[in-house]
């Protein structure tokens, strides 16, 4: 049961939802959002694609296997946590680097391990949910 | 066995030589401590391990530890040397020496540990390594069974011991044995004394194979002979004896202690010796004499007085020397003649002069004849027994055991060498290689040497050992060969006469015992029945609880939850306050209506899709509640999860048939109503009281200045509680991979 309308719409939706999921991920620290929510939205984007055009098509668009995404995400989260250990601080202590200044107020933007950790969460949720959804879709 | 000609012996390889050198070096190191310990010093090291729980890796060396450590490392070196020849060319030789070395080190840790948790870790390590050693010939089913039996019995005792140690540690306020010993108030008057004692005795009795846990020890003979020699002389089975001796100052000197140990020890000793005379296999006979020795040691540990403890310490050393030597001799006989059958063996003296010499000396010490150290050990036991409560009982047990031990010494050490052979031997006997002879000869010489000059064991080992066992200076009996004509000497003479008679008549006695055994209770078979029963119960409850139907899993989970909640509420005196319904807006009522409508659809629909959609409505209503109370993050997550669940279920359910019309399932309805009602009541009760806002306040204040984030939920997730989040996403990945494996990894139905 393939619908042309749904397939065309899904292609647009996929792009929009992916951009939105990254937006949710990035704003998470100050506004509602974050890695969990972003990952769920991203997964939904691909699931819509899978419903419209089939799981195989969704996998083709995703390019990498969802399981690999999840594991890589876990690795990124772990690495961001262990980074604090380099400076002899307890693991998972947030490390902040100010670009163009020396504090939050004076700097243009910041690089921090907290966001890296959230990216890890995003990938774990995206990969895990997709792994489950696509496998189920293919199974039945 | 000898391997190919020209091949280098395993002794000269790394795995052959290194363990011997390690053991010898350790022996020398411990020997170096002897002067200090003889002078009354107690050496102690401690490294913090889990400081928050008062657990440290601490070691303590006093007379008791040192005696054990010297026996373990000394006999260990000889046994390792012996093994290199005994198992020369065995395909798993390196594995064997590795196991044996690990076992030796675990045993060493056990006897020098001061912290109870440290002691327990080593205790369990000896259990595991002995399992590997007993099951070394893993191709033989018998060997595997014996190994598993030893593991299960001793590990079960180990669990009891752990419970006892934790109880003692908490009750006494310290996990350091030396600190507990030094406390002013005796622990024996503590309310927890009896439970602690029972748990410790369970641990010690299983490890040291006291009746009724004795059956695993003779079966452990499935191990290669060097292992038996080691496990049964200085180590493993002495672990329980060591524990009793170590705990003597803390738990001893009460009536319960004394009588329990006298009864169990005495019975084990006599029972074991009767069984020993019955055996035709030399190794089995020796195994039962080990049981007798353990019983005797336990029996004398019952005593609160120095004389009996001196006897215990002396007999401990004496027994280790002759038992290790005797096992090694039996190993040589087995190795060079191909049999261990006492009925068959004979006339070996001509072919194996060195072995014969060692066997004779060791046998004389084992029989307790002067001037060997065995004689001193026996005399002092008798002298100590006279001082004990229930002296008649103790002496009766000791006398019977020693008479039979004398006879067994004759069967094992005299008959195979000097009496004519009972039949054709599988191999024509010849002398063993030197690494195998070294151990027995050295141990035999020590038995004679210490007998002539008992001061060498009395000063550095026995006297400090007695002090350590009693926890104070005690009357240490003097070790000499000649005490004058007294009761112990008369008892010794009775022993010799009785032993000789039993030896001469042993073939007839054996036949009688064999007939009696056929009618007696068989503990070994009982063990099998016990295991079968355990497996049957496990299978039965698994079939009931884990039927494989999702519905029944949910039933069990929710029913259990309801019952535990109801019982808890009942025990706490019921629901004490009636929760007040807060005033509700129109919006709240809409949400409530949505929840009810969704639930009703889920319950009554016969279409799976409709039911799932109904559940989705409930979920979305819950998300609305989060929105109403200002938790947008949670609301968004809830909404997304609900949507995904509906989609995923729909994908799966699309292909399933309609729900069968089973009518109204009363039990399911009851459980559902109870769970729902209880959860509601508990939630309302919980939210009724004042809410502790300290954490909320802290995060509200700290979120921005410390973590540069205004969204508290996200800041908690990725910064304050990042480790928790990491654990959660790890679980998510594991669950996803597990589901993936289930969905993709299962073989296709066509293939199977």
């Amino acid at each position: 049961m393939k619908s042309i309308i749904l397939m065309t719409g899904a292609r647009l939706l996929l792009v929009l939802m992916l951009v939105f999921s990254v937006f949710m991920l990035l704003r998470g620290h100050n506004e509602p959002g974050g890695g969990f929510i972003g990952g769920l939205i991203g997964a939904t984007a691909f699931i819509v694609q899978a419903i419209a055009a089939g799981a195989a098509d969704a996998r083709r668009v995703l390019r990498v296997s969802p399981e690999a995404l999840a594991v890589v995400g876990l690795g990124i989260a772990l690495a961001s946590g262990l980074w604090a250990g380099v400076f002899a601080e307890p693991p998972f202590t947030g490390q902040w680097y100010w670009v163009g200044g020396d504090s939050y107020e004076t700097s243009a933007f910041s690089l921090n391990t907290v966001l890296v950790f959230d990216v890890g969460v995003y990938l774990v949720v995206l990969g895990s949910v997709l792994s489950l959804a696509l496998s189920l879709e293919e199974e039945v | 066995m000898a391997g190919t000609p020209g091949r280098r012996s395993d002794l000269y390889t790394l795995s052959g030589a290194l363990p011997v050198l390690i053991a010898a070096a350790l022996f020398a190191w411990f020997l170096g401590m002897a002067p200090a310990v003889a002078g009354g010093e107690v050496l102690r090291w401690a490294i913090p391990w889990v400081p928050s729980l008062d657990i440290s890796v601490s070691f303590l060396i006093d007379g008791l530890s040192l005696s054990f450590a010297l026996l373990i490392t000394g006999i260990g070196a000889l046994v390792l040397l012996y093994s290199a020849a005994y198992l020369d060319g065995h395909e798993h030789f390196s594995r064997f020496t590795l196991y044996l070395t690990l076992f030796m080190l675990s045993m060493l840790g056990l006897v020098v540990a001061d912290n109870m948790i440290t002691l327990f870790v080593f205790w369990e390590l000896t259990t595991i390594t002995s399992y590997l050693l007993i099951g070394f010939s893993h191709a033989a089913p018998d060997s595997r069974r014996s190994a598993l039996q030893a593991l299960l019995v001793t590990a079960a005792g180990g669990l009891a011991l752990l419970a006892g140690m934790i109880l003692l540690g908490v009750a006494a306020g310290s996990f350091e044995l030396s600190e507990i010993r030094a406390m002013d108030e005796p622990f024996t008057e503590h309310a927890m004394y009896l439970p602690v004692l029972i748990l410790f005795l369970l641990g010690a009795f299983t490890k040291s194979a006291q009746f009724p846990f004795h059956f695993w020890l003779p079966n452990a003979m499935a191990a290669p002979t060097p292992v038996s020699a080691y496990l049964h002389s200085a180590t493993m089975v002495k672990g329980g004896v060591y524990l009793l001796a170590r705990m003597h100052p803390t738990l001893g000197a009460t009536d319960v202690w004394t009588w329990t140990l006298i009864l169990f020890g005495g019975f084990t000793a006599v029972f074991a010796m009767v069984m020993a005379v019955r055996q035709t296999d030399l190794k089995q006979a020796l195994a039962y004499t080990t049981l007798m020795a353990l019983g005797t040691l336990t029996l004398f540990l019952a005593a609160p007085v120095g004389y009996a403890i001196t006897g215990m310490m002396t007999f401990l050393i004496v027994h280790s020397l002759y038992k290790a030597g005797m096992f090694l001799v039996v190993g040589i006989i087995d190795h060079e003649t191909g049999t261990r059958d006492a009925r068959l063996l004979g006339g070996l003296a001509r072919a194996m002069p060195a072995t014969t010499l060692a066997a004779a000396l060791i046998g004389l010490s084992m029989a307790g004849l002067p001037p060997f150290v065995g004689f001193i050990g026996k005399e002092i036991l008798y002298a100590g027994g006279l001082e004990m409560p229930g002296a008649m009982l103790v002496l009766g047990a000791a006398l019977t055991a020693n008479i039979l031990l004398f006879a067994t010494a004759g069967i094992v050490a005299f008959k195979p060498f000097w009496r004519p052979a009972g039949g054709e031997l599988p191999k024509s006997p010849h002398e063993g290689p030197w690494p195998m002879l070294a151990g027995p000869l050295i141990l035999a010489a020590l038995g004679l040497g210490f007998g002539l000059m008992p001061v060498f064991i009395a000063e550095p080992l026995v006297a400090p050992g007695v002090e350590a066992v009693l926890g104070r200076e005690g009357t240490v009996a003097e070790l000499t060969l000649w005490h004058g004509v007294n009761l112990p000497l008369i008892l010794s003479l009775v022993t010799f006469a009785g032993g000789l008679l039993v030896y001469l008549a042993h073939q007839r006695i054996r036949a009688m015992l064999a007939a009696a055994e056929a009618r007696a209770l068989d503990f070994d078979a009982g063990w099998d029945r016990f295991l079968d029963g355990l497996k049957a119960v496990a299978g039965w409850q698994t079939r009931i609880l884990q039927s494989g139907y999702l519905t029944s899993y949910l039933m069990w989970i929710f029913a259990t939850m309801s019952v535990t909640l109801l019982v808890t509420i009942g025990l706490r005196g019921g629901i004490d306050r009636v929760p007040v319904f807060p005033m509700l807006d129109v919006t709240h009522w809409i949400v409530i209506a949505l929840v009810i409508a969704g639930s009703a659809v889920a319950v009554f629909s016969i279409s799976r899709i409709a039911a799932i959609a109904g559940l989705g409505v409930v979920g979305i209503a819950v998300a609305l509640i989060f929105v109403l109370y200002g938790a947008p993050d949670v609301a968004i997550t809830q909404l997304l999860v609900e949507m995904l669940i509906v989609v995923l279920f729909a994908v799966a359910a699309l292909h399933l048939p309609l729900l069968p019309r089973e009518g109204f399932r009363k039990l399911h309805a009851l459980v559902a109503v109870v769970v729902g009602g209880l959860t509601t009541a508990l939630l309302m009760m919980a939210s009724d009281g004042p809410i502790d806002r300290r954490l909320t306040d802290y995060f509200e204040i700290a979120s921005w200045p410390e973590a540069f984030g205004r969204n508290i939920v996200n800041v908690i997730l990725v910064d304050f509680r990042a480790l928790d989040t990491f654990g959660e996403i790890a679980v998510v990945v594991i669950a996803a991979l597990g589901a993936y494996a289930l969905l993709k990894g299962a073989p296709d139905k066509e293939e199977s």
Side-chain angles (χ1 to χ4, degrees):
Chain A
M1 180 200 70
K2 284 191 179 170
S3 138
I4 300 282
I5 301 172
L6 189 57
M7 279 174 74
T8 317
R11 211 172 298 159
L12 276 174
L13 271 177
L14 176 69
V15 178
L16 275 176
M17 287 175 82
L18 274 183
V19 171
F20 183 59
S21 77
V22 175
F23 166 71
M24 287 302 266
L25 162 69
L26 291 179
R27 81 200 277 261
H29 215 53
N30 291 316
E31 308 288 332
F36 266 116
I37 293 173
L40 286 173
I41 295 175
T44 314
F46 285 101
I47 290 172
V48 170
Q49 180 74 17
I51 290 173
D57 194 61
R59 281 193 193 275
R60 190 180 51 75
V61 177
L62 187 63
R63 283 162 195 269
V64 290
S65 86
E67 294 77 32
L69 269 187
V71 172
V72 167
L74 196 63
I76 290 175
L78 181 65
S80 83
L82 294 183
W83 181 247
V86 177
F87 309 98
E89 286 194 60
F92 293 97
T93 309
Q95 304 294 321
W96 293 75
Y97 304 97
W98 310 116
V99 178
D102 54 3
S103 73
Y104 188 87
E105 286 76 21
T106 55
S107 62
F109 63 97
S110 72
L111 296 172
N112 58 70
T113 58
V114 170
L115 182 63
V116 177
F117 182 81
D118 224 6
V119 170
V121 175
Y122 175 93
L123 290 176
V124 165
V125 173
L126 179 70
S128 301
V129 171
L130 271 183
S131 164
L132 204 60
L134 295 181
S135 305
L136 266 178
E137 179 93 22
E138 284 157 4
E139 183 67 14
V140 292
Chain B
M1 270 290 197
T4 46
R7 188 186 138 277
R8 203 168 56 151
S9 162
D10 271 333
L11 176 61
Y12 305 107
T13 60
L14 186 66
S15 54
L18 187 65
V20 180
L21 293 177
I22 292 176
L26 281 169
F27 180 75
W29 190 55
F30 280 110
L31 203 60
M33 298 177 192
V37 172
E41 252 184 85
V42 172
L43 312 166
R44 192 169 183 277
W45 299 267
I47 312 154
W49 181 13
V50 190
S52 51
L53 292 176
D54 186 28
I55 295 169
S56 56
V57 183
S58 57
F59 299 108
L60 178 139
I61 305 237
D62 59 7
L64 184 64
S65 298
L66 188 67
S67 302
F68 268 95
L70 285 174
L71 289 174
I72 291 165
T73 50
I75 296 181
L78 295 176
V79 167
L80 281 162
L81 180 67
Y82 180 94
S83 316
Y86 189 85
L87 287 174
D88 194 14
H90 194 285
E91 56 174 334
H92 295 310
F93 175 73
S94 307
R95 186 189 295 177
F96 179 81
T97 51
L98 176 70
Y99 290 166
L100 201 58
T101 312
L102 284 179
F103 176 75
M104 178 183 77
L105 295 176
S106 320
M107 200 61 213
L108 206 52
L110 170 67
V111 298
V112 298
D114 189 28
N115 186 286
M116 282 196 284
I117 303 298
T118 313
L119 195 156
F120 177 75
V121 170
F122 284 114
W123 178 279
E124 291 294 272
L125 279 175
T126 62
T127 301
I128 294 166
T129 45
S130 66
Y131 167 72
L132 295 172
L133 283 170
I134 296 170
F136 181 68
S137 315
H138 54 80
D142 200 33
S143 186
R144 291 199 300 271
R145 175 179 177 272
S146 300
L148 192 63
Q149 191 180 48
L151 178 76
L152 290 178
V153 173
T154 52
L159 287 180
L161 178 65
L162 178 63
M165 282 173 164
I166 292 172
L167 207 56
L168 174 59
V170 172
S174 168
F175 279 93
E176 302 294 323
L177 287 169
S178 52
E179 282 177 25
I180 297 175
R181 278 199 295 277
M183 283 174 184
D184 297 330
E185 246 172 83
F187 186 76
T188 46
E189 279 155 34
H190 196 280
M192 280 291 136
Y193 170 68
L194 206 56
V196 168
L197 179 67
I198 291 171
L199 290 167
F200 269 82
L201 287 184
L202 273 175
F205 281 7
T206 48
K207 193 80 157 185
S208 280
Q210 297 297 298
F211 187 87
F213 305 113
H214 61 282
F215 50 88
W216 71 263
L217 192 142
N219 286 340
M221 286 297 130
T225 303
V227 175
S228 310
Y230 198 38
L231 258 62
H232 286 218
S233 57
T235 59
M236 182 70 178
V237 295
K238 292 273 174 69
V241 172
Y242 168 79
L243 184 75
L244 291 178
R246 184 45 86 209
M247 300 315 291
H248 193 282
T250 313
L251 301 174
T254 61
D255 282 351
V256 193
W257 169 279
T258 307
W259 287 105
T260 314
L261 263 57
I262 286 180
L263 289 177
F264 279 91
F267 185 78
T268 306
V270 174
F271 169 77
M273 280 324 297
V274 174
M275 292 301 290
V277 176
R278 187 245 168 283
Q279 304 303 320
T280 54
D281 182 342
L282 294 182
K283 222 175 143 185
Q284 284 290 340
L286 282 180
Y288 279 104
T289 64
T290 303
L291 214 52
M292 167 268 175
L294 297 169
T296 309
L297 291 169
T298 309
L299 175 65
F300 281 85
L301 269 169
V305 287
Y307 246 70
I309 301 296
T310 314
M312 192 284 296
M313 276 305 293
T314 316
F315 185 58
L316 174 82
I317 297 166
V318 170
H319 171 254
S320 298
L321 295 178
Y322 79 65
K323 185 51 59 66
M326 210 64 235
F327 263 119
L328 296 180
V329 165
V330 169
I332 298 176
I333 295 177
D334 188 14
H335 201 255
E336 308 305 339
T337 69
T339 181
R340 299 192 307 251
D341 193 330
R343 293 167 300 189
L344 214 56
L345 286 163
L348 301 179
R350 193 179 300 272
M352 310 166 77
T355 313
T356 310
L357 176 67
L361 295 179
I362 296 166
L364 290 171
S365 185
M366 180 170 163
L369 285 163
F372 292 89
V373 73
F375 177 72
I376 299 176
K378 182 159 51 64
E379 293 273 285
I380 209 96
L381 280 183
Y382 286 150
L386 284 171
E387 308 252 314
M388 281 174 65
M392 287 314 291
L393 195 63
V394 174
L395 284 179
L399 189 66
T400 317
N402 274 317
I403 287 175
L404 296 172
L405 184 65
F406 184 94
T408 312
I411 297 172
V412 177
F414 175 74
K415 189 171 173 291
F417 297 96
W418 302 103
R419 303 301 301 165
E424 190 72 19
L425 297 177
K427 283 201 258 179
S428 71
H430 54 90
E431 192 60 273
W434 75 264
M436 285 171 73
L437 290 171
L441 284 172
I442 290 174
L443 292 168
L446 286 177
L448 180 59
F450 288 148
L452 293 171
M453 288 167 288
V455 70
F456 282 114
I457 52 169
E459 297 269 318
L461 300 178
V462 175
V466 172
E467 261 176 51
V469 173
L470 287 177
R472 60 187 148 83
E473 300 257 342
T475 20
V476 177
E478 205 187 329
L479 303 187
T480 54
L481 283 167
W482 181 247
H483 279 285
V485 179
N486 54 10
L487 196 53
L489 186 68
I490 295 167
L491 286 173
S492 275
L493 294 175
V494 173
T495 310
F496 299 147
L500 200 61
L501 284 177
V502 174
Y503 170 69
L504 292 174
H506 78 263
Q507 267 150 339
R508 246 169 305 152
I509 296 177
R510 184 184 289 157
M512 269 159 54
L513 287 172
E517 195 190 39
R519 288 193 302 272
L521 212 57
D522 187 347
F523 280 83
D524 204 32
W527 167 259
D528 281 338
R529 275 198 299 281
F530 168 72
L531 272 193
D532 288 343
L534 198 65
K535 282 184 222 158
V537 171
W540 167 78
Q541 65 95 20
T542 308
R543 275 192 300 280
I544 290 191
L545 290 180
Q546 312 205 7
S547 60
Y549 290 101
L550 192 57
T551 323
S552 91
Y553 285 103
L554 290 178
M555 263 303 285
W556 278 112
I557 292 169
F558 284 125
T560 311
M561 177 182 152
S562 314
V563 170
T564 46
L565 280 178
L566 283 172
V567 168
T568 312
I569 290 173
L571 288 178
R572 297 284 172 91
I575 296 176
D576 52 348
R577 49 171 183 246
V578 184
V580 198
F581 273 98
M583 290 303 294
L584 297 174
D585 296 341
V586 177
T587 44
H588 293 117
W589 284 113
I590 292 173
V591 170
I592 290 171
L594 272 177
V595 170
I596 291 173
S599 311
V601 170
V603 171
F604 294 111
S605 168
I606 59 156
S607 149
R608 291 178 200 267
I609 296 279
I612 291 159
L615 280 183
V617 170
V618 175
I620 287 170
V622 173
L624 281 177
I625 296 178
F626 290 136
V627 172
L628 286 177
Y629 287 93
D633 275 283
V634 190
I636 296 173
T637 313
Q638 168 82 12
L639 204 62
L640 287 165
V641 168
E642 286 300 333
M643 276 161 47
L644 281 172
I645 287 176
V646 171
V647 170
L648 289 181
F649 267 111
V651 167
L654 216 52
H655 302 267
L656 293 176
L658 290 182
L659 287 166
R661 281 199 175 279
E662 289 181 29
F664 187 67
R665 280 166 292 184
K666 293 193 188 81
L667 187 61
H668 289 203
L670 176 73
V671 172
V673 168
V674 170
V675 169
L678 275 175
T679 312
T680 312
L682 288 176
L683 270 179
M684 290 177 76
M685 274 169 65
S687 57
D688 195 31
I691 293 170
D692 189 346
R693 283 189 56 88
R694 273 178 302 174
L695 271 180
T696 320
D697 290 340
Y698 168 77
F699 285 126
E700 272 175 8
I701 294 167
S703 180
W704 176 250
E706 288 189 21
F708 312 107
R710 288 198 184 82
N711 178 0
I712 301 173
V713 174
N714 187 260
V715 170
I716 292 174
L717 281 179
V718 298
D719 200 334
F720 288 125
R721 289 273 177 272
L723 186 61
D724 294 353
T725 310
F726 182 72
E728 283 155 18
I729 58 176
V731 170
V732 169
V733 172
I734 292 164
L737 292 182
Y740 178 78
L742 277 179
L743 287 169
K744 295 281 179 185
D748 288 340
K749 289 181 187 71
E750 290 85 353
E751 285 172 31
S752 60

